[in-house]
Amino acid sequence: MRYIALDFETGNASRLSACALGVGIFEDQTPAGELVTLIKPPAQVGKFHWGNVRVNHIKESMVVDAPTFDIVWRELADRVDGSVLVCHNAMFDTAVLCACLAHYHLPVPDCRYVCTVKVAQRVWPQLVNHKLDTVADALGIALNHHEAGSDARAAGLILQAALRETGCADVDALAHRIGMRLGRISCMGTVPCSIAKETRGGTAAR
């Protein structure tokens, strides 16, 4: 089974303001490649917000000569179709992905996705919270937080750790074990990744 871990960084509140993308590719449970790139957002998304820049350290001047999303996507489209996407806070990253695909009139891949926030909440409930840096630290995963490549790699490794922890062979077995429904993206729309009888005590942050 192919897992493709994704992490987007954005320049402001617009889902179209993707300014960096990190990708970690896992074939079954083995790392098989990485891609990290800056992205030049469409002009209409406006100025980068200082709050985003403070978090991810990506300034508008850094993406002036970067490729636009449609060019970046050419390297990934064939691999993503039919794969399982892995994201920490998948609601955010899949929303950015779908917004960018729609803007550039690109075909929507048919793929499932898993949120490693929800996985971590079920597999390691004792953690003080399930933010990416907290989970990565608990698992001994090196992380340069909010650097897209590092975040994507960490999400992929968190999933692999959860598979080992639960003795599950793949994400389908894991989903069954922890009461999760995998999300799905397709031309027919998006189905969220969800946990049965999910508690609403707090929302995990990126």
Side-chain angles (χ1 to χ4, degrees), residues 89 91 117 121 129-131 199-206:
N89 190 8
M91 182 176 293
V117 173
Q121 288 170 338
N129 62 55
H130 296 87
K131 297 178 181 180
T199 59
R200 300 292 182 181
T203 300
R206 282 166 55 76

Side-chain angles (χ1 to χ4, degrees), residues 88 116-117 120-121 124 127-147 149-159 161-162 164 205-206:
H88 205 78
T116 50
V117 173
Q121 288 170 338
W124 300 287
L127 296 180
V128 63
N129 62 55
H130 296 87
K131 297 178 181 180
L132 184 59
D133 53 349
T134 302
V135 181
D137 183 64
L139 298 177
I141 296 171
L143 177 68
N144 179 13
H145 200 13
H146 295 296
E147 191 282 313
S150 183
D151 283 5
R153 178 179 178 274
L157 292 175
I158 288 169
L159 176 62
R164 292 192 299 271
R206 282 166 55 76

Side-chain angles (χ1 to χ4, degrees), residues 34-203:
E34 294 185 350
L35 170 70
V36 184
T37 182
L38 293 174
I39 298 172
K40 182 178 181 178
Q44 60 263 44
V45 304
K47 297 290 186 180
F48 282 20
H49 190 273
W50 65 267
N52 295 63
V53 175
R54 184 179 64 181
V55 168
N56 59 39
H57 307 294
I58 301 173
K59 301 177 181 179
E60 288 180 68
S61 60
M62 296 168 61
V63 302
V64 170
D65 297 319
T68 51
F69 174 82
D70 55 326
I71 294 173
V72 171
W73 190 246
R74 292 175 192 168
E75 297 185 43
L76 296 171
D78 289 343
R79 285 190 164 187
V80 170
D81 201 64
S83 299
V84 176
L85 302 184
V86 183
C87 313
H88 205 78
N89 190 8
M91 182 176 293
F92 171 82
D93 292 291
T94 56
V96 173
L97 174 60
C98 290
C100 291
L101 290 170
H103 177 78
Y104 289 102
H105 306 289
L106 297 170
V108 178
D110 189 347
C111 58
R112 298 179 297 162
Y113 69 88
V114 58
C115 178
T116 50
V117 173
K118 297 182 184 299
V119 170
Q121 288 170 338
R122 281 300 176 93
V123 179
W124 300 287
Q126 75 279 7
L127 296 180
V128 63
N129 62 55
H130 296 87
K131 297 178 181 180
L132 184 59
D133 53 349
T134 302
V135 181
D137 183 64
L139 298 177
I141 296 171
L143 177 68
N144 179 13
H145 200 13
H146 295 296
E147 191 282 313
S150 183
D151 283 5
R153 178 179 178 274
L157 292 175
I158 288 169
L159 176 62
Q160 304 310 316
L163 293 173
R164 292 192 299 271
E165 181 77 13
T166 58
C168 293
D170 55 35
V171 73
D172 291 304
L174 177 64
H176 179 75
R177 175 74 61 85
I178 66 176
M180 169 182 282
R181 180 183 68 180
L182 295 181
R184 178 174 288 276
I185 299 171
S186 74
C187 62
M188 302 299 291
T190 301
V191 176
C193 178
S194 60
I195 292 284
K197 298 181 181 178
E198 190 173 26
T199 59
R200 300 292 182 181
T203 300

